[in-house]
Amino acid sequence: ESITLTGTGRFKRTGMTISIGLADGYVAFGACAYDYTNHYVASTGPAVYVVAVPIRDNLTITQVDVEVYGNGVCNIDTGAYKLDAAGVYYTASVNSTPGAAYATQTIGNATLAASWTSGQTFTGYSTLEFRFTFDAAGGRVSRIKVTANEV
């Protein structure tokens, strides 16, 4: 048997999952920190935590899922910022006030398409940045999962 491949010789995956670590983020404002024992970011008051991730060329982001935990009081706003090669930021966001259990915040394909007007495909020197804004103590973010297609 033989197999014939045509094209550029590069396989393209769809629906791939990229897990984003939170430990390399930083506190941009207020009272929160990464908990190295329990592996989440926790707020002890109003705060903003930022994680910047370089994204390789030719990836189209189709969905962002973030695991959040709250106390029924702390509102958590998750912003996904695309910084394109021209230095322009595009923002897509979701927020919720989760109770005392983990819940998933999702920024879906339609929201990304409407918010990132330069397109969802990363090219050149592009960065994906996440900003988690906590309005009170008791909020946690434990996981970021990005779904993407290679183009």
Side-chain angles (χ1 to χ4, degrees), residues 45-76:
V48 176
Y49 191 80
V50 178
V51 178
V53 183
I55 299 294
R56 70 174 200 259
D57 278 353
N58 300 317
L59 279 184
T60 299
I61 306 300
T62 59
Q63 184 165 309
V64 174
D65 294 306
V66 178
E67 295 296 314
V68 296
Y69 181 97
N71 55 6
V73 176
C74 180
N75 181 276
I76 302 170

PDB file of all heavy atoms in Angstrom, residues 45-76:
ATOM      1  N   GLY A  45      -9.708  40.697  47.886  1.00  0.00           N
ATOM      2  CA  GLY A  45     -10.308  42.017  47.759  1.00  0.00           C
ATOM      3  C   GLY A  45     -10.396  42.340  46.279  1.00  0.00           C
ATOM      4  O   GLY A  45     -10.059  41.508  45.429  1.00  0.00           O
ATOM      5  N   PRO A  46     -10.841  43.546  45.933  1.00  0.00           N
ATOM      6  CA  PRO A  46     -10.878  43.918  44.515  1.00  0.00           C
ATOM      7  C   PRO A  46      -9.475  43.799  43.898  1.00  0.00           C
ATOM      8  O   PRO A  46      -8.486  44.191  44.517  1.00  0.00           O
ATOM      9  CB  PRO A  46     -11.341  45.370  44.544  1.00  0.00           C
ATOM     10  CG  PRO A  46     -12.089  45.508  45.836  1.00  0.00           C
ATOM     11  CD  PRO A  46     -11.367  44.602  46.805  1.00  0.00           C
ATOM     12  N   ALA A  47      -9.410  43.228  42.691  1.00  0.00           N
ATOM     13  CA  ALA A  47      -8.098  42.973  42.093  1.00  0.00           C
ATOM     14  C   ALA A  47      -8.215  42.706  40.598  1.00  0.00           C
ATOM     15  O   ALA A  47      -9.291  42.397  40.088  1.00  0.00           O
ATOM     16  CB  ALA A  47      -7.432  41.779  42.772  1.00  0.00           C
ATOM     17  N   VAL A  48      -7.053  42.801  39.925  1.00  0.00           N
ATOM     18  CA  VAL A  48      -6.927  42.408  38.519  1.00  0.00           C
ATOM     19  C   VAL A  48      -5.681  41.540  38.392  1.00  0.00           C
ATOM     20  O   VAL A  48      -4.604  41.924  38.851  1.00  0.00           O
ATOM     21  CB  VAL A  48      -6.804  43.635  37.586  1.00  0.00           C
ATOM     22  CG1 VAL A  48      -6.567  43.188  36.144  1.00  0.00           C
ATOM     23  CG2 VAL A  48      -8.033  44.524  37.686  1.00  0.00           C
ATOM     24  N   TYR A  49      -5.837  40.372  37.781  1.00  0.00           N
ATOM     25  CA  TYR A  49      -4.731  39.450  37.543  1.00  0.00           C
ATOM     26  C   TYR A  49      -4.615  39.255  36.036  1.00  0.00           C
ATOM     27  O   TYR A  49      -5.619  39.055  35.345  1.00  0.00           O
ATOM     28  CB  TYR A  49      -5.006  38.113  38.232  1.00  0.00           C
ATOM     29  CG  TYR A  49      -3.821  37.178  38.276  1.00  0.00           C
ATOM     30  CD1 TYR A  49      -2.819  37.338  39.216  1.00  0.00           C
ATOM     31  CD2 TYR A  49      -3.700  36.121  37.369  1.00  0.00           C
ATOM     32  CE1 TYR A  49      -1.727  36.477  39.268  1.00  0.00           C
ATOM     33  CE2 TYR A  49      -2.617  35.263  37.421  1.00  0.00           C
ATOM     34  CZ  TYR A  49      -1.633  35.441  38.370  1.00  0.00           C
ATOM     35  OH  TYR A  49      -0.553  34.588  38.417  1.00  0.00           O
ATOM     36  N   VAL A  50      -3.385  39.303  35.511  1.00  0.00           N
ATOM     37  CA  VAL A  50      -3.154  39.263  34.069  1.00  0.00           C
ATOM     38  C   VAL A  50      -2.233  38.103  33.706  1.00  0.00           C
ATOM     39  O   VAL A  50      -1.228  37.866  34.377  1.00  0.00           O
ATOM     40  CB  VAL A  50      -2.520  40.589  33.581  1.00  0.00           C
ATOM     41  CG1 VAL A  50      -2.220  40.535  32.093  1.00  0.00           C
ATOM     42  CG2 VAL A  50      -3.427  41.764  33.914  1.00  0.00           C
ATOM     43  N   VAL A  51      -2.588  37.400  32.632  1.00  0.00           N
ATOM     44  CA  VAL A  51      -1.752  36.338  32.077  1.00  0.00           C
ATOM     45  C   VAL A  51      -1.610  36.613  30.583  1.00  0.00           C
ATOM     46  O   VAL A  51      -2.615  36.691  29.872  1.00  0.00           O
ATOM     47  CB  VAL A  51      -2.380  34.940  32.275  1.00  0.00           C
ATOM     48  CG1 VAL A  51      -1.519  33.860  31.648  1.00  0.00           C
ATOM     49  CG2 VAL A  51      -2.619  34.656  33.744  1.00  0.00           C
ATOM     50  N   ALA A  52      -0.378  36.795  30.108  1.00  0.00           N
ATOM     51  CA  ALA A  52      -0.117  37.023  28.684  1.00  0.00           C
ATOM     52  C   ALA A  52       0.508  35.775  28.080  1.00  0.00           C
ATOM     53  O   ALA A  52       1.399  35.171  28.667  1.00  0.00           O
ATOM     54  CB  ALA A  52       0.803  38.214  28.506  1.00  0.00           C
ATOM     55  N   VAL A  53       0.020  35.393  26.902  1.00  0.00           N
ATOM     56  CA  VAL A  53       0.452  34.153  26.261  1.00  0.00           C
ATOM     57  C   VAL A  53       0.804  34.431  24.805  1.00  0.00           C
ATOM     58  O   VAL A  53      -0.036  34.929  24.050  1.00  0.00           O
ATOM     59  CB  VAL A  53      -0.695  33.106  26.296  1.00  0.00           C
ATOM     60  CG1 VAL A  53      -0.248  31.798  25.694  1.00  0.00           C
ATOM     61  CG2 VAL A  53      -1.215  32.924  27.695  1.00  0.00           C
ATOM     62  N   PRO A  54       2.035  34.120  24.395  1.00  0.00           N
ATOM     63  CA  PRO A  54       2.336  34.235  22.967  1.00  0.00           C
ATOM     64  C   PRO A  54       1.636  33.106  22.210  1.00  0.00           C
ATOM     65  O   PRO A  54       1.630  31.962  22.657  1.00  0.00           O
ATOM     66  CB  PRO A  54       3.857  34.089  22.906  1.00  0.00           C
ATOM     67  CG  PRO A  54       4.213  33.329  24.131  1.00  0.00           C
ATOM     68  CD  PRO A  54       3.184  33.672  25.164  1.00  0.00           C
ATOM     69  N   ILE A  55       1.013  33.443  21.104  1.00  0.00           N
ATOM     70  CA  ILE A  55       0.311  32.449  20.291  1.00  0.00           C
ATOM     71  C   ILE A  55       1.039  32.331  18.959  1.00  0.00           C
ATOM     72  O   ILE A  55       1.329  33.337  18.317  1.00  0.00           O
ATOM     73  CB  ILE A  55      -1.163  32.865  20.064  1.00  0.00           C
ATOM     74  CG1 ILE A  55      -1.910  32.961  21.392  1.00  0.00           C
ATOM     75  CG2 ILE A  55      -1.869  31.897  19.120  1.00  0.00           C
ATOM     76  CD1 ILE A  55      -2.098  31.656  22.128  1.00  0.00           C
ATOM     77  N   ARG A  56       1.335  31.122  18.571  1.00  0.00           N
ATOM     78  CA  ARG A  56       2.073  30.946  17.321  1.00  0.00           C
ATOM     79  C   ARG A  56       1.209  31.305  16.118  1.00  0.00           C
ATOM     80  O   ARG A  56      -0.025  31.314  16.186  1.00  0.00           O
ATOM     81  CB  ARG A  56       2.624  29.537  17.214  1.00  0.00           C
ATOM     82  CG  ARG A  56       1.605  28.465  17.007  1.00  0.00           C
ATOM     83  CD  ARG A  56       2.314  27.127  16.777  1.00  0.00           C
ATOM     84  NE  ARG A  56       1.438  26.195  16.143  1.00  0.00           N
ATOM     85  CZ  ARG A  56       0.811  25.234  16.774  1.00  0.00           C
ATOM     86  NH1 ARG A  56       0.963  25.083  18.075  1.00  0.00           N
ATOM     87  NH2 ARG A  56       0.023  24.415  16.121  1.00  0.00           N
ATOM     88  N   ASP A  57       1.869  31.567  15.021  1.00  0.00           N
ATOM     89  CA  ASP A  57       1.187  31.942  13.784  1.00  0.00           C
ATOM     90  C   ASP A  57       0.193  30.878  13.332  1.00  0.00           C
ATOM     91  O   ASP A  57       0.379  29.683  13.569  1.00  0.00           O
ATOM     92  CB  ASP A  57       2.200  32.134  12.657  1.00  0.00           C
ATOM     93  CG  ASP A  57       2.842  33.510  12.691  1.00  0.00           C
ATOM     94  OD1 ASP A  57       2.409  34.346  13.505  1.00  0.00           O
ATOM     95  OD2 ASP A  57       3.768  33.739  11.916  1.00  0.00           O
ATOM     96  N   ASN A  58      -0.835  31.361  12.654  1.00  0.00           N
ATOM     97  CA  ASN A  58      -1.806  30.508  11.962  1.00  0.00           C
ATOM     98  C   ASN A  58      -2.679  29.673  12.882  1.00  0.00           C
ATOM     99  O   ASN A  58      -3.075  28.571  12.528  1.00  0.00           O
ATOM    100  CB  ASN A  58      -1.114  29.622  10.927  1.00  0.00           C
ATOM    101  CG  ASN A  58      -0.393  30.454   9.883  1.00  0.00           C
ATOM    102  OD1 ASN A  58      -0.934  31.450   9.413  1.00  0.00           O
ATOM    103  ND2 ASN A  58       0.822  30.077   9.551  1.00  0.00           N
ATOM    104  N   LEU A  59      -2.969  30.195  14.069  1.00  0.00           N
ATOM    105  CA  LEU A  59      -3.967  29.570  14.936  1.00  0.00           C
ATOM    106  C   LEU A  59      -5.189  30.470  14.975  1.00  0.00           C
ATOM    107  O   LEU A  59      -5.076  31.680  15.168  1.00  0.00           O
ATOM    108  CB  LEU A  59      -3.438  29.389  16.353  1.00  0.00           C
ATOM    109  CG  LEU A  59      -2.550  28.195  16.620  1.00  0.00           C
ATOM    110  CD1 LEU A  59      -2.205  28.114  18.106  1.00  0.00           C
ATOM    111  CD2 LEU A  59      -3.188  26.899  16.182  1.00  0.00           C
ATOM    112  N   THR A  60      -6.346  29.858  14.795  1.00  0.00           N
ATOM    113  CA  THR A  60      -7.608  30.575  14.905  1.00  0.00           C
ATOM    114  C   THR A  60      -8.266  30.159  16.215  1.00  0.00           C
ATOM    115  O   THR A  60      -8.574  28.977  16.413  1.00  0.00           O
ATOM    116  CB  THR A  60      -8.537  30.244  13.723  1.00  0.00           C
ATOM    117  OG1 THR A  60      -7.890  30.641  12.516  1.00  0.00           O
ATOM    118  CG2 THR A  60      -9.866  30.974  13.849  1.00  0.00           C
ATOM    119  N   ILE A  61      -8.450  31.111  17.115  1.00  0.00           N
ATOM    120  CA  ILE A  61      -9.070  30.825  18.417  1.00  0.00           C
ATOM    121  C   ILE A  61     -10.585  30.774  18.221  1.00  0.00           C
ATOM    122  O   ILE A  61     -11.188  31.715  17.699  1.00  0.00           O
ATOM    123  CB  ILE A  61      -8.705  31.913  19.450  1.00  0.00           C
ATOM    124  CG1 ILE A  61      -7.194  32.093  19.559  1.00  0.00           C
ATOM    125  CG2 ILE A  61      -9.337  31.604  20.797  1.00  0.00           C
ATOM    126  CD1 ILE A  61      -6.426  30.873  19.971  1.00  0.00           C
ATOM    127  N   THR A  62     -11.202  29.678  18.653  1.00  0.00           N
ATOM    128  CA  THR A  62     -12.644  29.514  18.465  1.00  0.00           C
ATOM    129  C   THR A  62     -13.439  29.546  19.770  1.00  0.00           C
ATOM    130  O   THR A  62     -14.649  29.778  19.740  1.00  0.00           O
ATOM    131  CB  THR A  62     -12.952  28.194  17.730  1.00  0.00           C
ATOM    132  OG1 THR A  62     -12.426  27.110  18.501  1.00  0.00           O
ATOM    133  CG2 THR A  62     -12.351  28.192  16.336  1.00  0.00           C
ATOM    134  N   GLN A  63     -12.771  29.314  20.901  1.00  0.00           N
ATOM    135  CA  GLN A  63     -13.487  29.351  22.179  1.00  0.00           C
ATOM    136  C   GLN A  63     -12.501  29.457  23.322  1.00  0.00           C
ATOM    137  O   GLN A  63     -11.391  28.939  23.254  1.00  0.00           O
ATOM    138  CB  GLN A  63     -14.330  28.089  22.357  1.00  0.00           C
ATOM    139  CG  GLN A  63     -15.172  28.094  23.621  1.00  0.00           C
ATOM    140  CD  GLN A  63     -16.245  27.024  23.599  1.00  0.00           C
ATOM    141  OE1 GLN A  63     -16.993  26.927  22.642  1.00  0.00           O
ATOM    142  NE2 GLN A  63     -16.305  26.227  24.649  1.00  0.00           N
ATOM    143  N   VAL A  64     -12.929  30.136  24.385  1.00  0.00           N
ATOM    144  CA  VAL A  64     -12.145  30.240  25.615  1.00  0.00           C
ATOM    145  C   VAL A  64     -13.051  29.802  26.762  1.00  0.00           C
ATOM    146  O   VAL A  64     -14.169  30.310  26.910  1.00  0.00           O
ATOM    147  CB  VAL A  64     -11.655  31.686  25.854  1.00  0.00           C
ATOM    148  CG1 VAL A  64     -10.969  31.810  27.205  1.00  0.00           C
ATOM    149  CG2 VAL A  64     -10.735  32.137  24.726  1.00  0.00           C
ATOM    150  N   ASP A  65     -12.580  28.841  27.565  1.00  0.00           N
ATOM    151  CA  ASP A  65     -13.303  28.386  28.754  1.00  0.00           C
ATOM    152  C   ASP A  65     -12.442  28.642  29.977  1.00  0.00           C
ATOM    153  O   ASP A  65     -11.256  28.314  29.984  1.00  0.00           O
ATOM    154  CB  ASP A  65     -13.605  26.885  28.684  1.00  0.00           C
ATOM    155  CG  ASP A  65     -14.571  26.543  27.567  1.00  0.00           C
ATOM    156  OD1 ASP A  65     -15.658  27.143  27.533  1.00  0.00           O
ATOM    157  OD2 ASP A  65     -14.230  25.688  26.734  1.00  0.00           O
ATOM    158  N   VAL A  66     -13.038  29.234  30.996  1.00  0.00           N
ATOM    159  CA  VAL A  66     -12.317  29.554  32.226  1.00  0.00           C
ATOM    160  C   VAL A  66     -13.104  28.985  33.401  1.00  0.00           C
ATOM    161  O   VAL A  66     -14.320  29.204  33.511  1.00  0.00           O
ATOM    162  CB  VAL A  66     -12.145  31.085  32.387  1.00  0.00           C
ATOM    163  CG1 VAL A  66     -11.451  31.412  33.691  1.00  0.00           C
ATOM    164  CG2 VAL A  66     -11.374  31.656  31.208  1.00  0.00           C
ATOM    165  N   GLU A  67     -12.405  28.243  34.264  1.00  0.00           N
ATOM    166  CA  GLU A  67     -13.038  27.711  35.470  1.00  0.00           C
ATOM    167  C   GLU A  67     -12.940  28.749  36.581  1.00  0.00           C
ATOM    168  O   GLU A  67     -11.834  29.173  36.941  1.00  0.00           O
ATOM    169  CB  GLU A  67     -12.362  26.414  35.913  1.00  0.00           C
ATOM    170  CG  GLU A  67     -12.531  25.271  34.931  1.00  0.00           C
ATOM    171  CD  GLU A  67     -13.970  24.844  34.754  1.00  0.00           C
ATOM    172  OE1 GLU A  67     -14.683  24.689  35.760  1.00  0.00           O
ATOM    173  OE2 GLU A  67     -14.377  24.686  33.589  1.00  0.00           O
ATOM    174  N   VAL A  68     -14.080  29.165  37.101  1.00  0.00           N
ATOM    175  CA  VAL A  68     -14.129  30.175  38.160  1.00  0.00           C
ATOM    176  C   VAL A  68     -14.901  29.634  39.353  1.00  0.00           C
ATOM    177  O   VAL A  68     -15.740  28.741  39.227  1.00  0.00           O
ATOM    178  CB  VAL A  68     -14.776  31.494  37.657  1.00  0.00           C
ATOM    179  CG1 VAL A  68     -13.930  32.132  36.571  1.00  0.00           C
ATOM    180  CG2 VAL A  68     -16.186  31.257  37.149  1.00  0.00           C
ATOM    181  N   TYR A  69     -14.600  30.189  40.513  1.00  0.00           N
ATOM    182  CA  TYR A  69     -15.230  29.791  41.774  1.00  0.00           C
ATOM    183  C   TYR A  69     -15.488  31.069  42.541  1.00  0.00           C
ATOM    184  O   TYR A  69     -14.697  32.005  42.492  1.00  0.00           O
ATOM    185  CB  TYR A  69     -14.266  28.897  42.551  1.00  0.00           C
ATOM    186  CG  TYR A  69     -14.772  28.386  43.878  1.00  0.00           C
ATOM    187  CD1 TYR A  69     -15.334  27.125  43.977  1.00  0.00           C
ATOM    188  CD2 TYR A  69     -14.663  29.148  45.033  1.00  0.00           C
ATOM    189  CE1 TYR A  69     -15.781  26.630  45.196  1.00  0.00           C
ATOM    190  CE2 TYR A  69     -15.111  28.663  46.253  1.00  0.00           C
ATOM    191  CZ  TYR A  69     -15.663  27.404  46.320  1.00  0.00           C
ATOM    192  OH  TYR A  69     -16.117  26.919  47.532  1.00  0.00           O
ATOM    193  N   GLY A  70     -16.581  31.112  43.242  1.00  0.00           N
ATOM    194  CA  GLY A  70     -16.874  32.321  44.000  1.00  0.00           C
ATOM    195  C   GLY A  70     -17.523  32.021  45.329  1.00  0.00           C
ATOM    196  O   GLY A  70     -17.569  30.892  45.790  1.00  0.00           O
ATOM    197  N   ASN A  71     -18.040  33.067  45.897  1.00  0.00           N
ATOM    198  CA  ASN A  71     -18.730  32.966  47.173  1.00  0.00           C
ATOM    199  C   ASN A  71     -20.137  33.540  47.066  1.00  0.00           C
ATOM    200  O   ASN A  71     -20.764  33.834  48.057  1.00  0.00           O
ATOM    201  CB  ASN A  71     -17.933  33.698  48.254  1.00  0.00           C
ATOM    202  CG  ASN A  71     -17.639  35.142  47.877  1.00  0.00           C
ATOM    203  OD1 ASN A  71     -18.126  35.642  46.865  1.00  0.00           O
ATOM    204  ND2 ASN A  71     -16.842  35.807  48.687  1.00  0.00           N
ATOM    205  N   GLY A  72     -20.606  33.729  45.835  1.00  0.00           N
ATOM    206  CA  GLY A  72     -21.920  34.311  45.616  1.00  0.00           C
ATOM    207  C   GLY A  72     -21.922  35.822  45.713  1.00  0.00           C
ATOM    208  O   GLY A  72     -22.940  36.459  45.520  1.00  0.00           O
ATOM    209  N   VAL A  73     -20.777  36.418  46.025  1.00  0.00           N
ATOM    210  CA  VAL A  73     -20.662  37.872  46.178  1.00  0.00           C
ATOM    211  C   VAL A  73     -19.676  38.457  45.173  1.00  0.00           C
ATOM    212  O   VAL A  73     -19.912  39.494  44.581  1.00  0.00           O
ATOM    213  CB  VAL A  73     -20.215  38.231  47.620  1.00  0.00           C
ATOM    214  CG1 VAL A  73     -19.993  39.720  47.762  1.00  0.00           C
ATOM    215  CG2 VAL A  73     -21.239  37.736  48.628  1.00  0.00           C
ATOM    216  N   CYS A  74     -18.562  37.775  44.962  1.00  0.00           N
ATOM    217  CA  CYS A  74     -17.491  38.270  44.095  1.00  0.00           C
ATOM    218  C   CYS A  74     -17.844  38.078  42.622  1.00  0.00           C
ATOM    219  O   CYS A  74     -18.024  36.964  42.163  1.00  0.00           O
ATOM    220  CB  CYS A  74     -16.178  37.562  44.406  1.00  0.00           C
ATOM    221  SG  CYS A  74     -14.813  38.129  43.371  1.00  0.00           S
ATOM    222  N   ASN A  75     -17.946  39.173  41.896  1.00  0.00           N
ATOM    223  CA  ASN A  75     -18.141  39.118  40.450  1.00  0.00           C
ATOM    224  C   ASN A  75     -16.773  38.973  39.800  1.00  0.00           C
ATOM    225  O   ASN A  75     -15.833  39.680  40.151  1.00  0.00           O
ATOM    226  CB  ASN A  75     -18.844  40.380  39.949  1.00  0.00           C
ATOM    227  CG  ASN A  75     -19.087  40.325  38.459  1.00  0.00           C
ATOM    228  OD1 ASN A  75     -18.209  40.653  37.670  1.00  0.00           O
ATOM    229  ND2 ASN A  75     -20.271  39.923  38.079  1.00  0.00           N
ATOM    230  N   ILE A  76     -16.667  38.041  38.859  1.00  0.00           N
ATOM    231  CA  ILE A  76     -15.416  37.811  38.146  1.00  0.00           C
ATOM    232  C   ILE A  76     -15.641  38.120  36.670  1.00  0.00           C
ATOM    233  O   ILE A  76     -16.489  37.501  36.023  1.00  0.00           O
ATOM    234  CB  ILE A  76     -14.924  36.356  38.307  1.00  0.00           C
ATOM    235  CG1 ILE A  76     -14.751  36.028  39.792  1.00  0.00           C
ATOM    236  CG2 ILE A  76     -13.619  36.142  37.547  1.00  0.00           C
ATOM    237  CD1 ILE A  76     -14.498  34.567  40.071  1.00  0.00           C
TER     238      ILE A  76
END
